[in-house]
Amino acid sequence: LKKPEMTAKAKELNDACRKVVAEFGGIEINDLFKPMDALNRDIHWSDTFHFRKTAKDMQAAQVSEACLSAIKK
């Protein structure tokens, strides 16, 4: 997220979700937030919530890799 206060809240919510998922076990998480959080927001965000094509391409590559990995299991 482009706004720091919203990013902090998203991290908090993601941590809470990880704890819930860990209780159920065996559920894989494809975390798209962490790699996007490290990017330059002026370059890769078009507004507070939306990414530009460069970031979307990075997300697509990560999702594709996760899907292919799951298929191979």
Side-chain angles (χ1 to χ4, degrees):
L1 300 163
K2 204 165 184 179
K3 294 180 179 180
E5 64 276 6
M6 294 179 85
T7 298
K9 184 65 175 178
K11 287 179 183 180
E12 182 182 317
L13 292 170
N14 284 346
D15 289 341
C17 288
R18 278 188 181 78
K19 289 176 186 174
V20 171
V21 168
E23 289 180 26
F24 291 96
I27 301 171
E28 290 189 38
I29 297 172
N30 185 6
D31 184 357
L32 295 174
F33 180 81
K34 194 172 187 175
M36 296 296 104
D37 188 37
L39 298 177
N40 181 313
R41 281 154 169 72
D42 292 330
I43 294 172
H44 297 287
W45 266 256
S46 60
D47 60 32
T48 299
F49 303 103
H50 301 100
F51 299 104
R52 296 185 194 279
K53 185 176 181 337
T54 54
K56 290 177 186 177
D57 289 347
M58 290 177 209
Q59 289 175 327
Q62 182 173 322
V63 169
S64 297
E65 185 178 315
C67 290
L68 291 172
S69 177
I71 290 169
K72 292 177 185 178
K73 289 184 178 180

